[in-house]
Amino acid sequence: MRAGPKQQGFTLVEVLLVVFIVGLSAGLVVMTLPEGPERLQRESQRVEAALHHLEDLAVLTGQVHGVEFQGGSFEVVRRVDGEWEPDRTLGLDLQEPVEFLTDRRRGDSGPQVYFDPSGVPVDYEIVMLDGRDRQSIYLGDAGQLERRR
């Protein structure tokens, strides 16, 4: 009996499987690449808009509102009966978390930034990091907000 010709090369299924795996790997690499300074710029604009919103809210409601920065996120809080409590009614969250460099110069357990009913914030600088990119938002004691690179 004679054996059939020896098969050489790959089958279509094997080739398609390799192409699929390479494409999936390339997609994962592209999705994990940093977006660059545009992402940090977008998120700093969101934080700045949230601060403006809280400033207006403090004046309109007569309640003290603040922002507490924790690692890669921030939480909006308000002062009720002498205690800070989360205020989730505003829906102010970061879409793409970045790292915040903050300090507690006052030494208390309250938020780093707060607005009293007059709308004037504490004098504070918020530093946001995304890889090697850096963006700062400076809150002056006269109530002005200024973004710096």
Side-chain angles (χ1 to χ4, degrees):
M1 243 164 107
R2 188 174 145 201
K6 215 174 188 184
Q7 184 182 13
Q8 293 182 350
F10 300 103
T11 65
L12 180 60
V13 172
E14 291 170 330
V15 171
L16 288 176
L17 183 63
V18 168
V19 168
F20 174 76
I21 291 172
V22 168
L24 187 64
S25 299
L28 290 173
V29 167
V30 167
M31 288 179 8
T32 59
L33 289 175
E35 287 187 46
E38 300 84 28
R39 174 179 169 220
L40 187 61
Q41 180 76 14
R42 185 174 53 246
E43 292 306 319
S44 70
Q45 288 172 345
R46 287 181 50 78
V47 170
E48 187 175 350
L51 293 172
H52 278 297
H53 182 76
L54 287 175
E55 179 181 15
D56 293 342
L57 193 64
V59 171
L60 291 173
T61 64
Q63 284 186 319
V64 179
H65 282 77
V67 180
E68 185 159 337
F69 298 96
Q70 306 158 344
S73 65
F74 69 92
E75 180 179 35
V76 176
V77 293
R78 66 180 170 190
R79 190 112 172 143
V80 177
D81 298 327
E83 298 290 324
W84 291 105
E85 68 177 33
D87 188 354
R88 298 195 189 355
T89 59
L90 303 176
L92 300 173
D93 296 319
L94 289 176
Q95 292 180 345
E96 302 173 30
V98 296
E99 182 182 354
F100 291 100
L101 292 180
T102 60
D103 61 352
R104 293 199 173 272
R105 293 183 294 189
R106 295 188 322 272
D108 63 6
S109 61
Q112 291 93 341
V113 175
Y114 61 90
F115 297 90
D116 65 15
S118 69
V120 178
V122 296
D123 186 28
Y124 197 79
E125 182 176 19
I126 302 163
V127 179
M128 302 170 66
L129 299 175
D130 185 23
R132 292 184 296 178
D133 297 323
R134 177 185 177 117
Q135 184 88 31
S136 294
I137 300 173
Y138 177 73
L139 286 85
D141 52 5
Q144 78 273 12
L145 287 170
E146 178 183 329
R147 219 170 328 136
R148 301 173 180 169
R149 276 199 92 78

